[in-house]
Amino acid sequence: MQGESTETSKWVQLVRLLRWDKPTGRLILMIPALWSLVLAARATAQIPPPDLIAVVVLGSLAASAAGCVINDLWDRDLDRQVARTRTRPLAARSLSIAVGVAVLAIAGGCALLAAAYLQPLSFGLCLAAVPIIAIYPACKRFSRCPNWCCRSPGGLLYWCPGPP
C-alpha cells in the first residue's frame, strides 16, 4: 500500500511541476492563439478547422508545461527561499533534476510535434519562441517586468494559413 501512495504522490508532483493544477498559465498562452485563429478564419469567411483547434490546444498545453519546467529548473534553488514557491517539486526536492529534464524533453517534444503540423512560417515562429521561453527565468533576475521580455507570440502563429 505504501508503494501505491508513493507512486500517486509522484504523479501529483508531476502535475504540479507542469502546473496543470493551475490553468491560468495555459489560458494566457492558449486564448490569444485561439482568438487569432478565429480572426484569421473569419477574415476568409471560414470557420477554424477542428484539427487546427486541437493543435492549438495541445500545443499550448505542451509549450506552457515546458516553460514551467524550464522556469523551475532555473529557479529551483531560489524557489526554496520564497514561501510561495518553496513547495514546488524541484525546489522541495520531491522530484529530481533528471526527472525535470526528462519531463522538459517530453513536453518540448510534444510541443514540437504540434508545431510541425503548422505552416512553415508558423513553425518558424514557434521555434523562434523557444529561446524567449528559455530566458524568461533570467529576465526575472534583471528586470522588474520580466513578462515584457516574453510577450506571447501566439497571436502571430495562427494568423498564418492553416495546415499544409
Side-chain angles (χ1 to χ4, degrees), residues 59-118:
S60 297
L61 289 172
S64 65
C68 289
V69 176
I70 288 171
N71 182 72
D72 284 4
L73 285 167
W74 269 77
D75 288 348
R76 67 185 178 276
D77 294 327
L78 291 173
D79 284 348
R80 291 177 68 98
Q81 302 168 27
V82 178
R84 182 181 65 82
T85 58
R86 73 173 42 116
T87 61
R88 288 183 177 171
L90 294 177
R93 309 302 197 253
S94 57
L95 293 176
S96 69
I97 294 170
V99 169
V101 171
V103 171
L104 172 60
I106 292 167
C110 290
L112 182 64
L113 284 173
Y117 181 80
L118 303 172

